[in-house]
Amino acid sequence: MISSTIYSTTQRLKSKLDSVGSIIDFDISVSAKAAREDFRSNDVLWRVNFGHINRCLQHVACAELVREEVNESASRLLLAMLEISRLHGHITNDGAPVQLSEADILERLISDFPQKSASEVEVSLHECLTTLQNDPWKLLSAHLMDSAGNIQERYSVDFSRILDMIRVKELEAVVRERFGGPACRIFRLLLLKHNLEQKQIAEMAMISIKDTRELLYKLLKAHYVQIQEVARTVDHAPSRTFYLWHVNLSHVSEHIGMWEVRPFCIVSSSCSKPQSENFTAPFPIFVHV
């Protein structure tokens, strides 16, 4: 009786969770303890679907970026397209972005905004598609597909490019907070121009040579920029050597990620060592029902 009640309750919860996007998953397994009991019952193990949560947060961040760079309507369109693409895994088997038809996008927008008429949504869709295609960031691409003799225009979102733009904005914010506005200006300049000499950086960033040198070496010490020697002679004499400054974006992202995760690792490590018999881990992976 108890087992059947738990199972039926679990099924109802699962159906509700599936309807909201599978934010929580669960596994059903027969535990060894239950097998030794007089009655047989299934232990329901619940766990958070972190992959789905991360995708949802990424979609919201992408939509927020488009809202800042373009407008609110384009942000809503992009969010709808990302949600449709999520059902296909964002990329196809050959690694290309999922291409969506205008009819699929329109159907999703109409369901998302029932208070608007279909004609209003369609007009807004055409305007937003044109805006995003003409945007200099090239976040949306159009493709002509031949389907059964009919030429159809399909659209795809450059999801990785949007995430790269978000990553750059986050890195710039970290540099600004740690080293100030002038250092952030230098960092952004190196991202755009790549290899530059100290004098070029000072001129383009409109910062004195002395301040530029100090900021560059602070950023170098913190692993935010890198320097490359280009010698004009085999003896590598400093007077005959170019010193080019640049930013390795993947290296900086990895370094900042380690720098931010380190405090959490310290706390997690201390929590993994029980202080007493009554100690309870603060972050349980599974919760028994």
Side-chain angles (χ1 to χ4, degrees):
M1 180 65 181
I2 296 176
S3 176
S4 61
T5 303
I6 293 176
Y7 185 79
S8 60
T9 303
T10 301
Q11 294 302 313
R12 290 197 301 271
L13 287 173
K14 183 178 183 299
S15 63
K16 293 181 179 179
L17 292 170
D18 287 342
S19 65
V20 298
S22 298
I23 292 179
I24 299 179
D25 258 339
F26 74 94
D27 290 334
I28 299 179
S29 61
V30 179
S31 68
K33 181 180 179 181
R36 293 193 299 267
E37 298 289 345
D38 294 336
F39 61 91
R40 297 292 188 267
S41 64
N42 290 336
D43 278 351
V44 181
L45 305 179
W46 296 83
R47 64 185 177 190
V48 178
N49 189 343
F50 289 106
H52 177 74
I53 293 176
N54 285 334
R55 284 191 295 271
C56 290
L57 292 175
Q58 288 174 346
H59 291 178
V60 173
C62 292
E64 181 65 20
L65 176 69
V66 173
R67 187 187 66 80
E68 294 176 358
E69 299 294 339
V70 187
N71 55 47
E72 182 70 28
S73 299
S75 173
R76 295 174 180 173
L77 169 62
L78 185 86
L79 187 59
M81 293 182 67
L82 288 175
E83 286 300 312
I84 301 173
S85 301
R86 180 179 61 82
L87 302 177
H88 304 281
H90 285 300
I91 57 175
T92 58
N93 294 331
D94 58 356
V98 174
Q99 298 177 1
L100 307 174
S101 67
E102 187 174 322
D104 294 335
I105 304 172
L106 180 61
E107 181 181 359
R108 176 67 188 228
L109 289 174
I110 291 176
S111 64
D112 287 345
F113 303 98
Q115 69 276 12
K116 294 185 178 181
S117 64
S119 59
E120 291 177 339
V121 175
E122 186 173 5
V123 171
S124 178
L125 171 61
H126 291 157
E127 293 177 353
C128 292
L129 288 174
T130 303
T131 301
L132 287 175
Q133 288 183 79
N134 297 331
D135 189 80
W137 299 109
K138 302 298 181 182
L139 305 179
L140 187 71
S141 301
H143 313 270
L144 292 178
M145 303 291 294
D146 189 356
S147 177
N150 297 325
I151 302 298
Q152 295 182 352
E153 194 169 22
R154 290 180 171 268
Y155 304 91
S156 63
V157 177
D158 196 339
F159 187 58
S160 59
R161 177 171 175 77
I162 300 176
L163 291 180
D164 287 340
M165 292 175 61
I166 295 174
R167 187 177 297 112
V168 169
K169 281 182 171 290
E170 293 296 327
L171 295 178
E172 291 177 356
V174 172
V175 172
R176 180 183 297 276
E177 183 177 350
R178 291 193 63 186
F179 303 100
C184 181
R185 199 185 314 160
I186 291 174
F187 184 80
R188 186 183 296 117
L189 179 63
L190 290 175
L191 281 175
L192 293 174
K193 300 295 184 179
H194 305 294
N195 297 309
L196 292 175
E197 290 186 274
Q198 179 180 290
K199 184 179 180 181
Q200 294 175 312
I201 296 172
E203 292 175 353
M204 293 182 182
M206 293 182 290
I207 305 174
S208 67
I209 290 288
K210 179 183 177 182
D211 293 341
T212 300
R213 183 186 305 112
E214 292 178 355
L215 291 172
L216 282 172
Y217 279 99
K218 284 183 179 179
L219 292 171
L220 178 65
K221 184 178 179 180
H223 303 283
Y224 287 91
V225 299
Q226 293 178 320
I227 187 171
Q228 180 181 2
E229 296 183 6
V230 181
R232 289 182 291 178
T233 56
V234 293
D235 58 353
H236 288 265
S239 59
R240 293 184 294 275
T241 301
F242 295 108
Y243 297 93
L244 301 179
W245 296 85
H246 65 279
V247 173
N248 187 331
L249 195 58
S250 59
H251 175 77
V252 177
S253 299
E254 181 180 354
H255 174 73
I256 292 181
M258 294 175 61
W259 177 66
E260 291 182 344
V261 168
R262 184 180 177 185
F264 174 79
C265 292
I266 294 174
V267 174
S268 178
S269 177
S270 62
C271 290
S272 64
K273 301 175 181 178
Q275 303 298 322
S276 65
E277 295 181 357
N278 298 326
F279 178 84
T280 303
F283 308 112
I285 299 177
F286 293 106
V287 179
H288 289 264
V289 176

